[in-house]
Amino acid sequence: MSKLIPRLQLDQFPPDLAASLQSKVQRLKYLGEFFQCMANQPQALLSFNNLTDDLKKALPDNLTEVVALTGAGVMGNHYERHQHERLSVKLGFDKEWVREANALAPDKAKLLRDDERVVQKFTMAVIERRG
C-alpha cells in the first residue's frame, strides 16, 4: 500500500467504526494495515465491515473459508491466507482439506464437497474477471 496514505489507529476512528471493529481487534490482537488505511474513508470501511459480517452470517463456515482461502491464494495475499488456514483448522476443518482448498484446483480436489468446488470455481472466475 502507498506510504502516502496515513495509517490511523483504532482510537482515531469515528466512534461507530471503532465500535464495529473493536471485537475483531481484541480477538486478533492487532489492527491490520488495510483497516488503518481504509479508516481514512470511515463510511466505506464501515460498509465493508458490515458486508463481510453479513456474508459470514449468510454462508456456512466451510463456504466462507473456501472463498477466503481462494481469494487470498489467487491474489497472492500470503498473510491473509495464513490467517484463514489457522481459522479453518480452529473451526474444525482438516489440514488436508485446507491444503486442497489452497491448491486452487477444484476439479482435482478429493476432500472438497461438490458445493465447495463450485464456490471455489466461482470465486476464481470472479477474481479473474475482476467482478
Side-chain angles (χ1 to χ4, degrees):
M1 277 186 225
S2 171
K3 298 297 179 195
L4 299 175
I5 301 171
R7 274 50 172 181
L8 302 179
Q9 297 306 307
L10 194 62
D11 62 355
Q12 297 173 293
F13 289 17
D16 57 339
L17 179 57
S20 79
L21 293 169
Q22 186 68 41
S23 64
K24 286 181 186 176
V25 171
Q26 287 177 333
R27 179 173 42 88
L28 298 173
K29 298 181 178 42
Y30 76 94
L31 176 64
E33 186 178 19
F34 170 80
F35 292 95
Q36 292 174 29
C37 291
M38 281 297 298
N40 288 285
Q41 293 295 320
Q43 192 57 48
L45 181 53
L46 186 59
S47 296
F48 172 80
N49 193 48
N50 289 338
L51 172 72
T52 58
D53 286 346
D54 289 346
L55 286 172
K56 286 174 102 173
K57 291 175 191 170
L59 292 175
D61 289 341
N62 64 317
L63 298 183
T64 299
E65 291 309 304
V66 166
V67 171
L69 291 167
T70 302
V74 170
M75 299 301 292
N77 186 335
H78 304 299
Y79 180 81
E80 191 71 16
R81 180 184 47 78
H82 178 69
Q83 292 298 316
H84 279 279
E85 287 172 351
R86 290 176 55 207
L87 177 57
S88 293
V89 170
K90 187 176 179 182
L91 290 170
F93 300 111
D94 187 85
K95 289 181 181 182
E96 285 299 317
W97 181 91
V98 173
R99 276 193 264 289
E100 278 198 359
N102 280 334
L104 304 177
D107 291 329
K108 296 179 182 176
K110 292 180 177 27
L111 296 177
L112 295 182
R113 297 181 345 195
D114 288 343
D115 59 342
E116 294 166 343
R117 285 193 292 276
V118 168
V119 165
Q120 185 167 61
K121 288 177 186 180
F122 178 75
T123 303
M124 292 166 67
V126 167
I127 294 170
E128 179 183 317
R129 295 175 187 152
R130 307 285 191 260

